């Protein structure tokens, strides 16, 4: 596979065993791929065509990513693909314990949604008086905060 050159399209799992990345398969389609770091080859993940900005669940068993204007999750052991919410111009996501924090629309506050979907709510407040227009690219500290 060929790799994406975007730095946001490449992530190592929290357990340090696997890398997920956006790559191009032999048919020229961009999709998510995973590679166990103890092996030499990567495998494409079905249903992830057009994916960008992947991020791992805290237990390294699932991936979140953006595609076709949506936030999706993929369970790596079952192959179950879930669409959680709209994300027209995403600017990053991070998976906490039971929820995902994301920037779905480029500008505005960071938002939060359950890892199972449902209502999306703001978790930050944009301070326009301080010149802020939005918060982007959330991440969690190693302790989950």
């Amino acid at each position: 596979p060929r790799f994406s050159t975007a730095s946001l399209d490449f992530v190592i799992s929290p357990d340090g065993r696997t890398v997920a990345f956006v790559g191009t398969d032999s048919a020229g389609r961009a999709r998510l791929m995973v590679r166990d770091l103890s092996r030499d080859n990567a495998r494409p993940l079905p249903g992830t065509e057009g994916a960008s900005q992947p991020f791992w669940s805290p237990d390294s068993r699932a991936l979140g990513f953006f595609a076709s204007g949506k936030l999706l999750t993929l369970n790596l052991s079952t192959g179950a693909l879930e669409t959680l919410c709209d994300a027209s111009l995403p600017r990053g996501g991070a998976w906490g314990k039971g929820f995902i924090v994301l920037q779905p629309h480029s500008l505005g506050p960071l938002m939060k949604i359950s890892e199972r979907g449902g209502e999306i709510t703001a978790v930050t407040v944009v301070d326009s008086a301080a010149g802020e227009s939005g918060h982007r690219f959330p991440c969690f500290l190693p302790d989950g905060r």
Side-chain angles (χ1 to χ4, degrees):
R2 286 186 293 173
F3 301 95
S4 167
T5 58
S7 62
L8 295 173
D9 288 340
F10 177 91
V11 287
I12 296 175
S13 62
D15 65 12
R17 297 181 188 168
T18 311
V19 63
F21 60 93
V22 175
T24 305
D25 64 19
S26 59
R29 296 174 298 219
R31 63 173 63 225
L32 282 182
M33 299 187 178
V34 291
R35 179 179 168 231
D36 182 319
L37 293 173
S38 67
R39 303 185 193 276
D40 289 335
N41 54 357
R43 66 180 172 94
L45 299 174
T48 64
E49 294 80 9
S52 69
Q53 302 175 46
F55 54 94
W56 287 96
S57 64
D59 63 7
S60 302
R61 295 182 181 168
L63 283 164
F65 63 97
F66 301 96
S68 302
K70 306 284 183 190
L71 167 65
L72 300 102
T73 60
L74 175 66
N75 181 308
L76 294 174
S77 59
T78 67
L81 192 62
E82 299 286 333
T83 300
L84 300 186
C85 66
D86 290 334
S88 58
L89 291 169
R91 296 297 184 265
W95 201 321
K97 293 181 180 176
F99 62 93
I100 293 171
V101 174
L102 69 147
Q103 175 46 270
H105 306 297
S106 181
L107 301 174
L110 291 176
M111 307 299 284
K112 177 180 173 180
I113 189 167
S114 166
E115 67 185 10
R116 303 207 186 284
E119 183 180 352
I120 186 168
T121 58
V123 293
T124 63
V125 176
V126 175
D127 185 352
S128 57
E132 295 179 356
S133 60
H135 302 148
R136 298 176 172 186
F137 305 109
C139 63
F140 286 97
L141 297 172
D143 66 1
R145 292 190 285 166

